[in-house]
């Protein structure tokens, strides 16, 4: 069976970028397959028949779905350049924050993209609450969530914050105010300066235009 690594993703998807960052941070060669989410390929439906979503990583012909599960797989498969700490307690804390991002932050981001009026107001208020929690409890005095090097929590949360910035522009609101969230703001600056992150982000204007067009279909 082929040893090749393939990633099915979509150019404007925050969750695809999570996997791209993890693969690139570890220097794993892969082939990228762009999916049209309005006309999903037969292969994507075959690989992810349950959720029918990207990202899907295909390794040696076997599909793995769900962005953070894919990254756990990548971590186990290619343990060099670790993305989780070695200490079991620190690993548990990292997984706590990943779960927090998945359970709390990600759904709110989705609602910000897809709602109007009162629901949107509520999503904006809740996203500020999330930022407050992470500002107060998440980073402490570390450069990154795991300490001095970028890791899995940064990947999980970084994707949310980049697309939160896109949302700010689409909606004309500012949420990640540096004076309100100094730690998070500084962390996000450092995160975006990591070469693998900086060199692997979609063109900001194109993403904003894409989500603006999507919003117009809600009106
Ligand atoms: N929990 C999944 C993950 O982390 O991978 C969510 C995947 C997801 O929502 N993917 C979106 C998608 O494929 C793109 S960001 N949407 C197409 C659809 O829902 O039909």
């Amino acid at each position: 069976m082929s040893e090749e690594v393939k990633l099915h993703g979509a150019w404007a998807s925050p969750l695809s970028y999570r996997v791209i960052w993890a693969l690139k941070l570890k220097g794993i060669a892969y082939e990228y397959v762009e999916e049209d989410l309005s006309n999903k390929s037969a292969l994507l439906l075959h690989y992810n028949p349950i959720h029918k979503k990207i990202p899907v990583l295909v390794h040696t012909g076997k599909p793995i779905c769900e962005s953070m599960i894919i990254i756990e797989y990548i971590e186990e498969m290619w343990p060099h350049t670790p993305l989780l700490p070695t200490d079991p307690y620190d690993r548990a804390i990292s997984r706590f924050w990943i779960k927090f991002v998945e359970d709390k932050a990600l759904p709110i981001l989705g609602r910000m993209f897809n709602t109007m009026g009162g629901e949107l107001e509520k999503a904006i208020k809740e996203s500020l609450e999330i930022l407050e929690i992470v500002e107060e409890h998440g980073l402490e005095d570390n450069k990154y969530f795991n300490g001095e090097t970028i890791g899995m929590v940064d990947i999980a949360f970084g994707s949310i914050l980049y697309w939160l910035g896109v949302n700010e522009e689409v909606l004309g609101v500012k949420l990640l105010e540096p004076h309100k969230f100094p730690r998070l703001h500084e962390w996000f600056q450092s995160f975006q300066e990591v070469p693998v992150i900086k060199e692997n982000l979609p063109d900001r204007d194109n993403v904003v235009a894409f989500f603006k067009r999507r919003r117009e279909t809600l009106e």
Side-chain angles (χ1 to χ4, degrees):
M1 195 174 279
S2 156
E3 281 297 323
E4 71 193 0
V5 179
K6 286 191 184 181
L7 171 63
H8 289 248
W11 72 274
S13 153
L15 307 178
S16 296
Y17 281 87
R18 286 176 168 179
V19 181
I20 291 172
W21 296 334
L23 288 168
K24 296 254 177 186
L25 282 165
K26 285 180 180 275
I28 310 301
Y30 67 97
E31 182 188 328
Y32 178 75
V33 182
E34 175 72 17
E35 287 287 342
D36 173 359
L37 295 182
S38 62
N39 181 23
K40 295 169 186 167
S41 72
L43 212 46
L44 173 63
L45 302 179
H46 168 73
Y47 285 142
N48 191 355
I50 298 174
H51 297 302
K52 305 177 175 62
K53 292 185 180 204
I54 55 93
V56 176
L57 188 81
V58 187
H59 182 215
T60 62
K62 293 181 293 194
I64 306 119
C65 305
E66 292 291 324
S67 55
M68 293 315 297
I69 292 176
I70 295 171
I71 295 176
E72 288 264 2
Y73 175 84
I74 291 171
E75 177 76 348
E76 285 182 22
M77 197 70 211
W78 297 283
H80 64 273
T81 325
L83 299 172
L84 278 175
T86 42
D87 178 77
Y89 181 76
D90 294 342
R91 288 166 86 86
I93 297 299
S94 289
R95 290 191 169 112
F96 171 88
W97 283 110
I98 290 166
K99 184 156 168 51
F100 179 83
V101 170
E102 297 306 84
D103 291 353
K104 304 282 184 196
L106 188 57
I108 294 174
L109 184 74
R111 275 169 37 222
M112 280 179 73
F113 274 124
N114 295 320
T115 57
M116 307 272 289
E119 262 199 85
L120 174 60
E121 296 288 310
K122 191 163 172 266
I124 289 176
K125 184 172 163 283
E126 287 175 17
S127 68
L128 283 168
E129 287 164 7
I130 296 290
L131 294 178
E132 277 160 22
I133 290 171
V134 183
E135 174 74 18
E136 195 178 340
H137 302 280
L139 279 159
E140 300 176 345
D141 289 325
N142 294 332
K143 184 168 182 192
Y144 298 106
F145 280 88
N146 289 355
E148 283 308 298
T149 53
I150 186 171
M152 233 184 252
V153 186
D154 303 287
I155 290 175
F157 198 54
S159 64
I160 304 290
L161 274 210
Y162 181 81
W163 270 264
L164 182 79
V166 169
N167 245 326
E168 289 179 336
E169 209 171 320
V170 171
L171 301 170
V173 292
K174 184 76 190 145
L175 302 178
L176 187 64
E177 302 265 25
H179 67 280
K180 278 198 207 151
F181 304 106
R183 281 184 180 149
L184 259 182
H185 188 263
E186 200 181 320
W187 162 76
F188 193 48
Q189 298 302 111
S190 311
F191 174 77
Q192 291 183 100
E193 283 307 310
V194 173
V196 158
I197 307 299
K198 196 163 142 178
E199 289 154 19
N200 293 284
L201 279 170
D203 179 84
R204 171 78 174 224
D205 291 344
N206 286 346
V207 191
V208 169
F210 173 84
F211 282 105
K212 271 193 179 151
R213 279 197 303 278
R214 237 180 59 159
R215 271 207 89 69
E216 281 159 17
T217 65
L218 299 177
E219 289 163 6

